[in-house]
Amino acid sequence: MDDALKTFHIGKTFGDNKGNINALDFHRSEDLVVSAGDDESIHLYNTATGAKVKTVMSKRYGVACISFTHDPKYFKGHRDRVVGVSMSPKNDTFMSASLDKTIRFWDLRNTACQGLLQTHCSGHPCAAYDQQGLVFAVSTGNVVMRGLVVAVSTEDGLLKLYDVRSFEKGPFTTFHLQPTAEGKSPPILSSLMFSYDGWKIFATSPGCIQILDAYKGTCLHTIHRPEAPSMPPQNFDISISPDDQYVISGCPDYTIRAWRVSNGTEAACWSGLSGLATVVKWAPRRKLVASGDTEGKLALWVPTAKPPTITTIDVDDDMMTGP
């Protein structure tokens, strides 16, 4: 797979967004990708035909953290901008994280908030479901249940895991995140993600990606993005290949890089972007990656098709004539 990964290049670009693309999502079963932009626009594309399907404007509320669902509704409750949405892979529930320092729990069948975690972290709260929909991880602290509201006394550097079926009882385990470099404090996370097999957690901060053991909380590998000294700290999205072998992310040097999950080493570096690829997404069913950049460009990355290898065998005349 390493060799194929190195051949990825831009196969198609779209310039429909007039500013930064802040979120992308692939449909789980159809050849569709959707983008959300700071210009309050939503664009839907067919990845099989390379054509735009639809444009929707969201002037009243803006748009970010976009995700495919099957039931369009408005859910009200947050008092500040929503910075993260995690859909359960198994049912109609989802979580949202906001700059109001809360994580709220929702059900697509009911617009009322189903539960709430109050946080006090330095950055914004992060939350993610595992791929079985049974566990969720939150970068928060201690929990006390108060009716339908879960109050959290948060400390930076803590990662807590909850059982979805009984999260009101509090986390069943707590991990202490390790500093990414000697003499530094634990990282302030910008996102969390489980591997598809549930064995690893990817904790992302502006400078690096930590790959954690999901059962022990130990840091298996730390991936440092290349630095750009003249650029302020930037949050870059990550995405994991469907086979759990690679993690990709945009970087401050205007590239997208892929690293091996097994050891944290770099496997490939893709270039050709005019903006920073702050959001990336690996297609669930195809050898296809989408990236959205700060210039409003959506790029579809595909591997280079290699011609079949023809083996030539030199045949001795004596072999052809027989005895």
Side-chain angles (χ1 to χ4, degrees):
M1 181 65 177
D2 272 19
D3 290 340
L5 204 61
K6 292 175 182 178
T7 71
F8 269 66
H9 65 283
I10 298 175
K12 180 79 173 181
T13 60
F14 302 92
D16 299 298
N17 289 92
K18 304 308 178 185
N20 177 57
I21 295 176
N22 58 52
L24 294 170
D25 193 34
F26 278 102
H27 197 281
R28 284 178 174 265
S29 59
E30 299 183 30
D31 292 322
L32 297 171
V33 64
V34 64
S35 71
D38 289 351
D39 61 356
E40 303 173 330
S41 68
I42 300 169
H43 300 284
L44 180 66
Y45 303 92
N46 185 311
T47 58
T49 63
K52 184 171 71 169
V53 177
K54 183 185 295 186
T55 294
V56 177
M57 301 303 295
S58 181
K59 291 292 186 181
R60 183 175 181 181
Y61 297 107
V63 59
C65 310
I66 199 161
S67 184
F68 278 102
T69 70
H70 62 82
D71 194 358
K73 286 187 176 75
Y74 283 108
F75 297 85
K76 298 180 180 180
H78 285 297
R79 298 180 179 180
D80 206 334
R81 183 163 62 91
V82 174
V83 291
V85 171
S86 181
M87 307 294 298
S88 170
K90 295 300 182 182
N91 56 39
D92 287 338
T93 60
F94 67 97
M95 297 181 290
S96 59
S98 169
L99 292 179
D100 64 8
K101 306 297 183 182
T102 67
I103 296 170
R104 289 180 180 264
F105 299 83
W106 310 89
D107 192 312
L108 287 174
R109 297 162 293 186
N110 187 336
T111 58
C113 180
Q114 305 296 302
L116 184 145
L117 288 171
Q118 183 70 50
T119 77
H120 302 284
C121 50
S122 298
H124 63 74
C126 304
Y129 283 103
D130 76 332
Q131 293 300 317
Q132 300 302 314
L134 298 177
V135 174
F136 66 87
V138 179
S139 57
T140 58
N142 300 324
V143 178
V144 179
M145 188 65 183
R146 296 178 183 174
L148 291 178
V149 178
V150 182
V152 181
S153 174
T154 304
E155 300 175 48
D156 290 328
L158 293 183
L159 180 62
K160 293 180 177 291
L161 270 59
Y162 298 80
D163 188 319
V164 172
R165 297 159 295 185
S166 56
F167 79 89
E168 70 276 3
K169 296 180 181 179
F172 62 82
T173 190
T174 299
F175 301 143
H176 292 261
L177 296 175
Q178 299 301 310
T180 57
E182 186 176 352
K184 291 190 175 183
S185 301
I188 297 176
L189 301 184
S190 57
S191 69
L192 291 170
M193 186 178 296
F194 279 89
S195 61
Y196 285 94
D197 62 12
W199 285 85
K200 298 177 181 67
I201 298 174
F202 295 78
T204 307
S205 57
C208 69
I209 305 163
Q210 287 185 307
I211 304 177
L212 310 175
D213 186 305
Y215 291 88
K216 300 177 182 178
T218 53
C219 182
L220 303 174
H221 309 291
T222 298
I223 298 169
H224 293 276
R225 297 184 184 89
E227 295 182 356
S230 61
M231 187 179 298
Q234 181 87 31
N235 288 331
F236 288 91
D237 196 11
I238 69 166
S239 187
I240 306 165
S241 62
D243 61 3
D244 275 336
Q245 296 300 305
Y246 302 95
V247 56
I248 58 173
S249 176
C251 295
D253 61 354
Y254 295 87
T255 65
I256 296 175
R257 294 175 189 255
W259 296 272
R260 302 173 187 89
V261 172
S262 60
N263 56 23
T265 58
E266 184 176 307
C269 177
W270 309 336
S271 58
L273 296 169
S274 59
L276 295 173
T278 52
V279 290
V280 292
K281 202 77 172 182
W282 211 303
R285 301 179 299 110
R286 309 284 186 190
K287 290 182 178 179
L288 174 67
V289 170
S291 67
D293 67 27
T294 51
E295 300 296 316
K297 296 293 190 296
L298 168 65
L300 299 181
W301 300 78
V302 293
T304 299
K306 292 185 177 180
T309 301
I310 301 175
T311 302
T312 303
I313 302 175
D314 293 326
V315 181
D316 194 348
D317 290 342
D318 292 339
M319 295 174 62
M320 301 295 293
T321 57

